[in-house]
Amino acid sequence: AEDTEGIHSAVLCVTLCHPWCAVLQPMHRLPTHSLHLRDERVRLRPFTEADFDQVVEWFADPEVMYYAEGEENLDYTREEEEIEGIYRGAAEQGALLFIIETAEGKAIGETWLQPMNLERGKRQPPDNAWRIDIMIGEKEYWGKRYGRYAVRLLLRHAFEALRADRVAAVGVIEYNLRSQRMFKACGMRKVRRV
């Protein structure tokens, strides 16, 4: 809600699982960007406030979460406010959040390109390291190379525009062989298992 001085009042959100979110964090507009990436098969457009409803649906699907978050998280249901807090926190830390669309404009997933924010992925400066997170939420598009095309667009942007020294896919679930094959097909290799 907006008050008479044009200042947005804050709604508090409790987040417990991501280090970039404070335990109590004021909710405000999602930081966004204007970057659009595309090729003949997929379009990556900026993630907006309007995309939260779709992402919440994907988070509610146990099969999607099994491959995206791991079996140990299947009994844990994230509330909409927590999901929004995760995305807002990442964007505030410099992540470029995208919705993955087919060439026809159907939203099928989401992906992030963000500065490396995990200690296990950092090296000594001046390491310009970035990481990719990706989830294809529409299961009928699994195994059809949409993720591969999206990751290739992100890699090209990271190395050419952001001058990344390296890009990592952190947290790929060990039993998600489809995801492992996708990253390998994009030229990435397994460096270590954590």
Side-chain angles (χ1 to χ4, degrees):
E2 195 168 315
D3 66 21
T4 57
E5 296 177 24
I7 299 171
H8 293 282
S9 59
V11 177
L12 293 179
C13 149
V14 178
T15 56
L16 303 173
C17 61
H18 289 278
W20 58 80
C21 296
V23 173
L24 289 176
Q25 174 179 323
M27 300 290 284
H28 33 73
R29 299 289 306 161
L30 177 72
T32 191
H33 57 87
S34 60
L35 185 61
H36 291 259
L37 304 173
R38 66 182 45 168
D39 67 11
E40 69 278 355
R41 191 113 187 245
V42 298
R43 299 186 308 206
L44 304 183
R45 65 161 175 81
F47 189 105
T48 68
E49 295 281 337
D51 296 312
F52 280 122
D53 288 341
Q54 179 64 67
V55 171
V56 167
E57 284 183 34
W58 294 332
F59 268 82
D61 186 319
E63 190 176 8
V64 172
M65 288 297 93
Y66 175 75
Y67 288 105
E69 297 284 322
E71 62 189 342
E72 67 276 2
N73 292 312
L74 288 181
D75 293 335
Y76 177 69
T77 303
R78 288 192 169 90
E79 298 297 323
E80 183 174 347
E81 293 80 18
E82 181 183 3
I83 294 167
E84 288 185 18
I86 292 167
Y87 284 76
R88 289 179 202 287
E92 288 169 2
Q93 295 297 316
L96 300 172
L97 309 179
F98 295 94
I99 287 293
I100 304 168
E101 294 181 335
T102 64
E104 297 76 35
K106 177 172 175 47
I108 62 168
E110 55 85 10
T111 189
W112 311 359
L113 180 62
Q114 64 181 333
M116 180 56 70
N117 62 343
L118 303 173
E119 287 304 318
R120 69 180 187 245
K122 293 181 179 178
R123 293 188 183 163
Q124 295 298 323
D127 186 33
N128 183 16
W130 290 74
R131 65 179 270 202
I132 292 175
D133 294 277
I134 186 168
M135 176 176 64
I136 302 295
E138 298 296 329
K139 295 182 286 193
E140 64 268 24
Y141 291 88
W142 287 2
K144 297 184 178 174
R145 298 186 176 180
Y146 287 95
R148 183 182 300 187
Y149 285 95
V151 168
R152 285 180 178 161
L153 287 170
L154 292 175
L155 288 170
R156 184 177 315 124
H157 181 74
F159 289 115
E160 293 176 4
L162 302 174
R163 300 288 189 220
D165 295 320
R166 61 192 177 87
V167 177
V170 180
V172 178
I173 306 299
E174 187 172 2
Y175 55 77
N176 190 343
L177 301 178
R178 185 172 38 243
S179 184
Q180 291 176 37
R181 286 191 302 267
M182 174 198 64
F183 284 114
K184 185 176 181 181
C186 292
M188 299 177 85
R189 62 184 172 82
K190 185 187 281 188
V191 174
R192 67 178 177 271
R193 182 176 168 221
V194 291

